[in-house]
Amino acid sequence: MMNSCTLSKEKRDAVMCLHAFSGNDYLSAFFRKGKKTFWHIASKNIEFLSALSCLGTSYEFSTDVKEMLQKYVCAIYGKAKLSKVNLVRSKIFWDRYNKQKKIVDLCMLPPCEGNLMLHIKRTNYVAYLSKHANELKPCLELFSKHGWKDEAEAQWLEIYAPQEIADLLNSSQETDEDFEQLYETEIS
C-alpha cells in the first residue's frame, strides 16, 4: 500500500505521475530513457517531484509546471544546466555531428518543445484519470482536448510549420505549365 511505504510524501505523490510521464500503456516513452533514469533524476530534485505531483490534480496546469517538466527532460538527456528542450536537441545534435562527422539518429534526441507540451497534456489527463479512479462518476473531459486526436491516436504536433511557410505552400498552386511559361518569359 502506498501510504505505508518508506518514501517521503513528495516522492509518493510524484511516483504515479512519473510512471505516466516516462511512458506507460497510454503514453509514449522516451527512446532509451528508462524509468530508473527518470526516478534517479526526479528523486534528487524537489522541484521536479513537485511538478510531477501537480499533474492530474485538474485538467489545467500552470506554466511553471510546464517549464519545470521541460527542465526535467533536459536533465534526463544529460543537460541539467539547460532549461529548453529545443536548445538541448540542437546542442546534442551539433556535439555529436562535430564529433562523429555524420548525421545523428534523431530518435536519440529529446522531443521538440511542441511535442513535449502535448506529451505533458496527455500525461496530465492519464494522471487525472488515475487520481480520480475511486470516484463513482468522475467528471471526464474528451481525451481529444488533451493531446490525442478524435481517433484516439496521439497528436504529435499542433503546428507542423510556421504559418508563413504554410501560406507560401498553399498559395503556390502553380502547375508545370505555369512554371514553363514563367521560365520561357524570363529567358526571352
Side-chain angles (χ1 to χ4, degrees), residues 124-188:
N124 188 59
Y125 188 78
V126 169
Y128 183 90
L129 293 176
S130 297
K131 288 183 175 183
H132 294 85
N134 62 341
E135 295 176 14
L136 185 59
K137 290 186 177 184
C139 179
L140 300 179
E141 289 187 1
L142 293 173
F143 58 85
S144 58
K145 294 181 178 182
H146 301 280
W148 282 283
K149 297 177 186 176
D150 288 332
E151 306 83 34
E153 294 177 24
Q155 180 181 349
W156 296 111
L157 290 172
E158 290 182 311
I159 300 171
Y160 291 94
Q163 190 58 47
E164 295 82 15
I165 293 175
D167 291 344
L168 178 66
L169 293 173
N170 289 332
S171 68
S172 61
Q173 299 292 331
E174 297 175 356
T175 64
D176 288 340
E177 291 174 8
D178 294 335
F179 180 75
E180 288 174 11
Q181 273 184 335
L182 180 63
Y183 182 71
E184 288 173 6
T185 307
E186 288 181 6
I187 292 177
S188 334

Side-chain angles (χ1 to χ4, degrees), residues 2-101:
M2 223 29 183
N3 291 333
S4 64
C5 70
T6 58
L7 293 175
S8 68
K9 180 179 177 359
E10 293 83 13
K11 290 179 181 179
R12 278 196 319 263
D13 291 345
V15 73
M16 179 182 53
C17 299
L18 182 139
H19 173 64
F21 188 74
S22 61
N24 66 9
D25 291 346
Y26 308 104
L27 296 163
S28 58
F30 295 76
F31 187 71
R32 290 193 176 174
K33 302 295 178 191
K35 292 190 183 298
K36 187 175 181 180
T37 301
F38 278 85
W39 180 251
H40 178 73
I41 290 172
S43 64
K44 294 180 178 183
N45 187 315
I46 192 71
E47 292 177 316
F48 295 159
L49 291 171
S50 177
L52 286 165
S53 63
C54 286
L55 293 173
T57 54
S58 72
Y59 284 122
E60 302 298 321
F61 47 91
S62 71
T63 302
D64 292 342
V65 169
K66 287 182 199 175
E67 289 174 4
M68 190 53 59
L69 291 174
Q70 186 170 189
K71 190 172 181 177
Y72 178 43
V73 171
C74 293
I76 295 292
Y77 281 84
K79 305 294 182 192
K81 292 182 180 181
L82 301 176
S83 60
K84 299 291 183 188
V85 289
N86 287 347
L87 183 59
V88 170
R89 285 174 61 85
S90 177
K91 181 145 182 56
I92 291 172
F93 178 88
W94 287 111
D95 287 351
R96 290 185 183 171
Y97 179 79
N98 290 332
K99 184 178 179 182
Q100 300 170 355
K101 300 296 183 214

